[in-house]
Amino acid sequence: MSEKKEFKTETKRLLDLMINSIYTNKEIFIRELVSNASDAIDKYHYLSLTDEAVEKVDNYEIRISLDKENRTLTISDNGIGMTKDELENHLGTIAKSGSLEFMKKMEDNNDTDIIGQFGVGFYSAFMVCDKVVVDTLSPYSNQAYRFTSDGTDSYYLDEISKDSVGTEITLYLRENKEDENYDEFLDQFKIKRLIKKYSDYIRYPIKMNMVYTHPQYDDNQNKTGEETEIKEEILNSMIPIWKKNKSEVKEEDLISFYKQKFNDYEDPLLSMHINVEGNITYNALVFIPGVAPYNLYSDKFEKGLQLYTKSVFIMDKCKDLVPDYLRFIKGLVDSADLSLNISREILQQNKQLAKISSNIEKKVISELEKLLKNDYNKYLTFFDNYGLNIKYGIYESYGAKKELLENLLVYQTLNNESKITLKEYVNHMKEDQKVIYYASAKNKEQLLAMPQLDALKKHEYDCLILSDDIDEFLMSIMNKYNDIEFKSINQGDLDLLTDEEKDNIKKIEDDSKNLLGKIKEALSNEVSDVVISKRLVDSPVCLVSGEGLSFEMEKVLKQMPNQNEMKASRILEINANHDLFKAIEKISDNDDLIKDYALLLFDQALLMEGLEIKNPVEFSNRMCKLMILCAK
Ligand code: ADP
């Protein structure tokens, strides 16, 4: 009895793309199907070790057979097979996100060349055939099934009899067209070459019966006929790429392995091939994807590396191999030192995993340091994508990872065009400069508009521009770099004045005690102090925060639930050299007017700081009052 089923919409779109693909590199379908077969055997093997219901076998293999008469190419495996539900869920629907992403990309720019870079999976078969038949039996089902599709809207499911667990996929190749040759996929030597090219590292033997014809001659060297010899051959070398010696593996092999295994069409930013022998022996391949996944910071993102032991696949995303802040790395670890029967719970506490994870962490960091030194532009691309993670690394560990990571931080600064490291900042500090200055701003423009920058500009000191929410928290956790303190330009005392200048300010403060007192009284609910500024040069006023919580932190915390009561202490600084101050001095006897001025000054300072003013209507009323006064 045949059941007819509809493909899901997305699947139809993908099928359509495949069938109509004008892509010349159609041969990659074989890579995709062989890799599925290999994954299926991985899964079977793992279950046979962990589930008693699954029989142990030791003759894993992938087979390819060609039938010229019927124009079919068949790939079979003795892997996990599929139940009826699995057939529907895995082949009737697009299983993996890679395919979806691929479709988007295809539809966006119609660049067919990207097919080869994607893991496009099962459906790629439709680039070369007009009918696919999948026969499959799962160890969890008593019934075998056949899935048949010609790539149109629907597929068929039939009950069949099949002796052994596994999957057999038969492709009915298309007829040749003028410039499209499908016969080549019936050529055994071509297939042999393709397997070598794309699937050499597959761990299971890929077998094919090769047919050789030997001409026969008589004593006079006349051809009398042909003898046919059929030889079963293993087409692949079966050494997984990560098990090979580093020197044998070219960078481009690693890159193409990455793209295929992790369904990425971009080259990775970094590829690492790690062979470690010693206390723990393992091989690992670690990659930093070219572009951060869009959901890297969402709860749904799953970090982890694939885990193998003795080349047997154990799990897809082993979290314990990756510290949280390196969640963006992809790759795999294969260690002979882990027990195969390890249950997932035990796995989680495995000390060896922790050790491997810490080795990998160090390796990744040292490779990043190298990149920073040798290819700074590429490093900046890395930092644009993942810099926030490095910051989290320091922050989350409460500074424990500061030494490991601080040299990877780069910041935009006042005096530099592109981002620089902290080391560079320190190397270029002025002789009399004692601290590393920073300010929170979206960009240089915003920084330049900050009144608090006046004093720094005068001294020509550089200033880090902090643009991530986490930055100020990070600075307060790091506290120092190479024993040099970090200092916010709008917090606390900047201490940039000569003794003479300090004396001068002290004198002004004494002289204006009465006036400052009145302003402070008018603002008693708003600020903790009103002082003569030691940092302002051109601007009339500014708001700074005391030590501890800063305005930036206040803004960030305000966005978080249950934190909105946290406030930075506010200090209003007045520029005694500004004409405005001189004007206020003149009206210092008029208490009402002073009060208005004080409130206006405060609101202005708030606005400049990017903070909200409490009462915009009152602010406007006061402005109007003054404007009218002025015009009289
Ligand atoms: P992917 O392999 O990347 O998940 P595919 O479209 O190639 O995407 O395959 C979809 C799913 O179909 C696989 O995830 C797997 O569950 C199932 N599948 C494909 N080929 C086989 C096979 N030979 N044996 C068992 N299951 C398979």
Side-chain angles (χ1 to χ4, degrees):
M1 199 205 62
S2 197
E3 259 183 83
K4 187 178 174 186
K5 303 251 175 186
E6 277 279 298
F7 279 119
K8 300 256 160 62
T9 329
E10 282 159 349
T11 315
K12 283 186 206 165
R13 269 162 59 208
L14 184 58
L15 280 167
D16 205 46
L17 277 174
M18 290 298 168
I19 289 169
N20 297 313
S21 124
I22 45 163
Y23 183 56
T24 46
N25 211 15
K26 292 170 191 278
E27 63 192 33
I28 55 124
F29 80 90
I30 201 155
R31 168 191 84 187
E32 300 295 320
L33 298 184
V34 166
S35 132
N36 279 353
S38 165
D39 289 350
I41 297 177
D42 273 349
K43 284 180 201 153
Y44 186 99
H45 187 57
Y46 178 72
L47 289 171
S48 76
L49 297 168
T50 50
D51 184 348
E52 285 186 359
V54 178
E55 196 190 330
K56 291 195 172 40
V57 290
D58 54 10
N59 65 334
Y60 294 116
E61 62 178 28
I62 297 165
R63 264 186 186 278
I64 300 184
S65 48
L66 306 172
D67 179 342
K68 285 193 174 150
E69 262 150 60
N70 294 312
R71 295 185 64 74
T72 60
L73 183 159
T74 302
I75 297 179
S76 58
D77 64 67
N78 51 356
I80 193 64
M82 284 173 270
T83 61
K84 188 181 178 200
D85 279 354
E86 284 166 346
L87 261 181
E88 284 187 44
N89 291 334
H90 295 154
L91 301 189
T93 333
I94 299 178
K96 88 190 149 198
S97 53
S99 303
L100 282 174
E101 221 169 288
F102 158 74
M103 274 206 296
K104 238 188 116 260
K105 196 88 180 165
M106 278 283 273
E107 283 171 357
D108 284 356
N109 55 12
N110 221 350
D111 171 8
T112 42
D113 250 13
I114 59 175
I115 292 186
Q117 300 169 8
F118 259 90
V120 278
F122 171 74
Y123 301 100
S124 62
F126 285 100
M127 293 197 294
V128 297
C129 69
D130 35 38
K131 182 169 133 189
V132 178
V133 175
V134 181
D135 288 353
T136 186
L137 175 65
S138 155
Y140 295 106
S141 163
N142 295 322
Q143 179 64 53
Y145 287 90
R146 168 170 293 172
F147 164 104
T148 311
S149 163
D150 58 4
T152 50
D153 292 356
S154 37
Y155 58 93
Y156 296 87
L157 291 182
D158 293 276
E159 291 183 356
I160 54 161
S161 72
K162 186 177 187 304
D163 300 336
S164 53
V165 167
T167 303
E168 181 175 298
I169 300 185
T170 302
L171 313 186
Y172 288 79
L173 295 168
R174 298 186 196 176
E175 294 292 339
N176 282 354
K177 276 202 236 159
E178 306 138 32
D179 54 347
E180 293 176 28
N181 181 359
Y182 300 101
D183 282 355
E184 59 178 349
F185 301 120
L186 293 167
D187 173 356
Q188 57 179 1
F189 298 107
K190 171 81 181 184
I191 298 297
K192 190 174 170 177
R193 280 199 303 278
L194 289 179
I195 293 295
K196 201 76 200 152
K197 179 170 172 191
Y198 292 113
S199 310
D200 192 54
Y201 65 86
I202 293 285
R203 285 193 307 282
Y204 307 104
I206 304 172
K207 295 180 181 167
M208 186 159 77
N209 283 338
M210 298 292 285
V211 184
Y212 296 98
T213 48
H214 307 290
Q216 303 290 306
Y217 302 98
D218 64 13
D219 292 345
N220 297 324
Q221 296 302 311
N222 295 321
K223 197 173 161 189
T224 54
E226 278 178 342
E227 197 171 90
T228 309
E229 185 198 6
I230 298 179
K231 241 175 40 184
E232 185 186 89
E233 288 184 22
I234 295 176
L235 309 180
N236 54 330
S237 71
M238 292 196 281
I239 304 173
I241 187 167
W242 61 89
K243 280 265 171 104
K244 288 190 182 168
N245 224 316
K246 264 196 213 166
S247 55
E248 288 170 48
V249 183
K250 286 186 253 134
E251 173 81 4
E252 64 215 60
D253 296 337
L254 278 186
I255 291 177
S256 75
F257 174 83
Y258 163 79
K259 284 172 159 176
Q260 189 197 337
K261 184 102 182 161
F262 298 102
N263 297 320
D264 199 349
Y265 48 89
E266 303 263 1
D267 281 5
L269 267 169
L270 274 186
S271 319
M272 287 157 246
H273 188 173
I274 310 170
N275 298 333
V276 174
E277 272 177 53
N279 264 346
I280 316 174
T281 299
Y282 69 91
N283 299 297
L285 296 178
V286 175
F287 303 93
I288 298 182
V291 176
Y294 67 94
N295 62 348
L296 185 60
Y297 298 106
S298 88
D299 296 344
K300 297 217 177 67
F301 184 84
E302 267 184 89
K303 62 164 190 172
L305 299 178
Q306 282 193 342
L307 182 63
Y308 292 77
T309 135
K310 301 194 184 76
S311 296
V312 175
F313 172 80
I314 302 282
M315 63 163 84
D316 199 29
K317 297 233 160 128
C318 180
K319 287 201 220 94
D320 304 272
L321 287 170
V322 182
D324 254 352
Y325 76 95
L326 291 181
R327 64 212 320 247
F328 53 84
I329 63 173
K330 288 190 174 167
L332 58 88
V333 169
D334 186 350
S335 172
D337 296 334
L338 301 165
S339 139
L340 265 181
N341 288 318
I342 231 168
S343 84
R344 285 168 195 225
E345 270 77 10
I346 298 172
L347 206 59
Q348 258 146 38
Q349 301 149 20
N350 199 301
K351 279 210 187 96
Q352 277 151 320
L353 286 184
K355 184 90 186 120
I356 297 176
S357 165
S358 128
N359 282 355
I360 287 180
E361 176 183 7
K362 287 193 195 105
K363 175 76 182 168
V364 171
I365 300 308
S366 86
E367 286 297 311
L368 286 171
E369 281 168 353
K370 267 192 226 158
L371 184 68
L372 187 148
K373 223 164 102 196
N374 301 331
D375 189 347
Y376 193 60
N377 277 335
K378 194 167 176 192
Y379 182 78
L380 290 183
T381 310
F382 162 80
F383 202 83
D384 282 346
N385 273 283
Y386 306 106
L388 205 50
N389 290 77
I390 301 298
K391 293 175 183 178
Y392 274 114
I394 301 176
Y395 183 71
E396 276 167 358
S397 67
Y398 300 102
K401 291 200 191 295
K402 177 183 164 214
E403 249 155 64
L404 182 68
L405 301 177
E406 61 190 354
N407 286 314
L408 291 178
L409 296 174
V410 291
Y411 282 101
Q412 206 77 57
T413 79
L414 177 65
N415 298 341
N416 285 281
E417 279 312 310
S418 71
K419 290 181 176 155
I420 61 166
T421 58
L422 296 176
K423 198 168 178 179
E424 249 176 288
Y425 180 100
V426 168
N427 286 345
H428 291 105
M429 272 168 59
K430 297 270 169 215
E431 239 165 67
D432 60 345
Q433 185 180 346
K434 294 191 193 70
V435 296
I436 301 172
Y437 293 102
Y438 67 81
S440 281
K442 282 202 194 76
N443 48 40
K444 202 181 275 195
E445 226 180 3
Q446 212 184 53
L447 175 72
L448 283 168
M450 290 169 65
Q452 293 92 335
L453 195 67
D454 289 356
L456 235 63
K457 278 196 263 185
K458 206 173 93 182
H459 283 80
E460 292 181 348
Y461 293 162
D462 203 359
C463 179
L464 303 178
I465 304 176
L466 310 192
S467 54
D468 282 327
D469 281 356
I470 192 174
D471 278 325
E472 285 211 10
F473 296 92
L474 188 64
M475 292 296 150
S476 77
I477 274 198
M478 294 212 294
N479 190 24
K480 287 176 181 174
Y481 173 78
N482 275 0
D483 274 340
I484 306 173
E485 245 178 86
F486 290 106
K487 186 135 194 62
S488 163
I489 66 161
N490 40 19
Q491 206 173 5
D493 188 351
L494 270 191
D495 200 16
L496 280 175
L497 302 183
T498 60
D499 287 344
E500 193 186 337
E501 285 169 322
K502 278 183 200 158
D503 287 347
N504 197 17
I505 284 187
K506 181 91 189 45
K507 191 171 167 293
I508 299 173
E509 251 169 358
D510 288 344
D511 291 349
S512 334
K513 217 174 188 156
N514 189 20
L515 176 62
L516 290 177
K518 282 185 191 173
I519 298 177
K520 196 170 165 180
E521 200 189 304
L523 299 175
S524 60
N525 291 332
E526 316 294 346
V527 300
S528 59
D529 209 354
V530 177
V531 297
I532 297 297
S533 180
K534 297 184 182 121
R535 70 190 92 212
L536 293 175
V537 177
D538 299 322
S539 316
V541 280
C542 75
L543 209 56
V544 301
S545 55
E547 304 291 349
L549 204 64
S550 72
F551 295 139
E552 192 54 31
M553 292 173 170
E554 178 186 315
K555 281 183 229 166
V556 173
L557 290 173
K558 216 172 169 175
Q559 293 162 13
M560 298 185 193
N562 314 323
Q563 299 272 8
N564 48 8
E565 293 310 314
M566 307 271 276
K567 269 200 159 161
S569 76
R570 288 152 159 68
I571 300 167
L572 185 72
E573 292 197 355
I574 301 182
N575 181 354
N577 296 319
H578 200 280
D579 286 347
L580 183 63
F581 183 71
K582 290 172 187 143
I584 299 176
E585 273 183 321
K586 281 191 201 139
I587 52 139
S588 60
D589 291 337
N590 184 338
D591 284 359
D592 281 348
L593 210 51
I594 283 288
K595 194 174 169 203
D596 277 345
Y597 272 55
L599 289 166
L600 271 173
L601 283 176
F602 176 66
D603 280 349
Q604 278 176 351
L606 278 177
L607 286 174
M608 282 194 279
E609 202 46 52
L611 294 164
E612 261 175 54
I613 53 177
K614 235 191 208 166
N615 194 330
V617 176
E618 276 181 20
F619 172 73
S620 166
N621 287 345
R622 270 184 217 110
M623 281 296 279
C624 289
K625 196 166 143 190
L626 281 187
M627 286 162 96
I628 293 166
L629 214 76
C630 244
K632 267 184 187 162

